[in-house]
Amino acid sequence: MKLPPLSLYVHVPWCVQKCPYCDFNSHSKKGTIPEKEYVQHLIDDLKADLSLVQGRKLHSIFIGGGTPSLLSADAYVRLLSEVERLIGFEDGIEITLEANPGTVETDRFKRYADAGINRISIGVQSLQTDKLKALGRIHGEQEAINAAYEAQSAGLRSFNMDLMHGLPGQNIDDALSDLKRVIELEPPHISWYQLTIEPNTQFASKPPTLPEDETLWDIQEQGQAMLAEAGYQHYEISGYAKPQFQCRHNLNYWQFGDYLGIGCGAHGKITQPEKNHILRTEKVKHPRGYMDLSKPYVYKSWQVDKSDRAFEFFMNCFRLQAPCDKQAFIDFTGLSFADVHAPIEQALAQGLLSDNGLSWLVTNKGHRYLNDLLELFV
């Protein structure tokens, strides 16, 4: 096995209110966020994980939530300076922060940029008032547009806009109008994905009426054509980027890279070549428990069984439009081609994969029936 690049995921668990579709580890803000205390816990959590770094510098950092833009720029100055001191940054490191347009005042992005953040991901979801209300979003149409203008003028390297389709009561014209307006705001990166009903959410207990499958398919096809015409490359299931603006952090996930996870409920994945192990970690979920000094930050950790490594590798790699490198499979899983010969042959025979000798490539059919492809490796 070989060591892949190392990233860092930082989780900020608070939000203004829980959205009905959200199954992330987020908690509605009640009173003042204990910002200074939480940042210190993040730093201490990272210190406890330093043995897992194994001499690497950080390839990327992603600060997610919840709503990380509820924390001040000063909080991120302190956090990022400590992270750089403890681990160090690769040249050209990408540092992303998720932001809700409803929590962004004038010049907030500029202050984040001054703190060291060079990429913002804006959770727009829709630019239509009725759809935003149905999704439980706290921002309006103009706030989302203003957030894009703020990102353009803040001196960032890049910014992303998150947009959903397949929303309650949404037709094709609604969905494509939303996408057209986001494209006109010229973000270097767009995450455009279909709303799904996840367990343990408000929508799961009271499901809204969503568009029919045929409508969803038409939205997907026409929207992808619109994005391509506007110069966005479809490089991942829901990721579309202008050339050179792909999300480095997400690419490291999909290419089976390593990542430390700090903060409430954060997950990590670390390769241990000397043991031929892949370690996964999960931190304590609730802020109260996470900040309890009498308890460890790690809720649980486990080794990925060899029998599960092929599925985990391909579950990530097959999300990408790019070829899946065969040598990377060997290097990062510790497996051999013999371990996946049978399912690969089945996938080739079914037209779900192609093979050019050095890599495998998911076909159009394979992307359409991705779950069927992945089930071959279970």
Side-chain angles (χ1 to χ4, degrees), residues 250-272:
N250 285 347
L251 277 176
N252 198 36
Y253 283 158
W254 310 142
Q255 293 168 344
F256 215 53
D258 280 356
Y259 48 96
L260 298 170
I262 61 173
C264 298
H267 288 249
K269 176 251 173 185
I270 296 293
T271 304
Q272 299 174 307

Side-chain angles (χ1 to χ4, degrees), residues 76-356:
Y76 292 117
V77 169
R78 182 180 170 216
L79 176 63
L80 294 175
S81 63
E82 276 297 285
V83 172
E84 185 171 21
R85 183 183 69 83
L86 291 167
I87 302 181
F89 295 166
E90 288 183 1
D91 291 342
I93 185 173
E94 173 193 272
I95 304 177
T96 300
L97 180 134
E98 288 185 333
N100 184 327
T103 64
V104 177
E105 70 267 15
T106 302
D107 289 335
R108 173 67 73 96
F109 289 170
K110 176 65 167 62
R111 297 197 294 274
Y112 286 146
D114 291 342
I117 290 158
N118 53 29
R119 186 176 182 272
I120 296 283
S121 182
I122 306 169
V124 174
Q125 315 313 359
S126 177
L127 289 174
Q128 298 175 13
T129 301
D130 60 327
K131 303 301 186 295
L132 290 169
K133 185 175 180 181
L135 292 172
R137 304 297 288 174
I138 65 169
H139 68 272
E141 168 190 348
Q142 193 58 49
E143 287 173 301
I145 293 170
N146 290 345
Y149 292 152
E150 287 283 338
Q152 289 168 345
S153 63
L156 300 162
R157 175 194 297 172
S158 181
F159 73 99
N160 167 65
M161 297 185 77
D162 266 0
L163 182 68
M164 287 184 175
H165 61 87
L167 306 181
Q170 189 176 56
N171 58 35
I172 295 176
D173 290 342
D174 283 342
L176 296 181
S177 173
D178 253 357
L179 182 58
K180 181 176 183 292
R181 294 179 68 197
V182 166
I183 289 171
E184 288 171 349
L185 293 169
E186 299 184 328
H189 190 288
I190 296 174
S191 295
W192 188 59
Y193 52 94
Q194 181 181 320
L195 170 65
T196 56
I197 306 300
E198 302 293 345
N200 304 314
T201 62
Q202 292 179 45
F203 274 177
S205 59
K206 295 181 179 179
T209 301
L210 301 181
E212 299 290 336
D213 286 347
E214 185 175 342
T215 299
L216 293 172
W217 184 251
D218 288 342
I219 291 171
Q220 188 78 22
E221 283 198 322
Q222 293 182 42
Q224 287 180 347
M226 185 183 296
L227 285 157
E229 185 177 355
Y232 289 90
Q233 298 172 347
H234 185 197
Y235 73 97
E236 185 266 329
I237 285 181
S238 58
Y240 303 80
K242 292 292 182 71
Q244 309 303 315
F245 286 102
Q246 297 174 339
C247 178
R248 293 185 70 198
H249 188 87
N250 285 347
L251 277 176
N252 198 36
Y253 283 158
W254 310 142
Q255 293 168 344
F256 215 53
D258 280 356
Y259 48 96
L260 298 170
I262 61 173
C264 298
H267 288 249
K269 176 251 173 185
I270 296 293
T271 304
Q272 299 174 307
E274 74 286 353
K275 300 178 182 178
N276 195 22
H277 284 170
I278 295 174
L279 175 72
R280 289 200 177 271
T281 61
E282 181 182 341
K283 302 299 172 65
V284 174
K285 283 189 175 182
H286 199 280
R288 192 162 49 246
Y290 179 80
M291 293 189 287
D292 183 345
L293 290 172
S294 68
K295 298 177 182 178
Y297 295 112
V298 177
Y299 170 64
K300 62 179 178 179
S301 62
W302 65 99
Q303 298 292 341
V304 179
D305 193 89
K306 278 193 172 183
S307 62
D308 295 327
R309 290 184 193 177
F311 174 77
E312 290 203 7
F313 179 87
F314 290 125
M315 180 178 63
N316 287 284
C317 193
F318 285 168
R319 290 179 62 101
L320 298 173
Q321 299 292 322
C324 184
D325 185 72
K326 291 184 179 182
Q327 190 59 48
F329 169 77
I330 293 173
D331 290 344
F332 299 152
T333 66
L335 301 175
S336 69
F337 294 142
D339 292 311
V340 292
H341 176 75
I344 289 291
E345 288 301 310
Q346 284 182 270
L348 292 169
Q350 294 174 26
L352 303 174
L353 279 184
S354 62
D355 185 335
N356 70 3

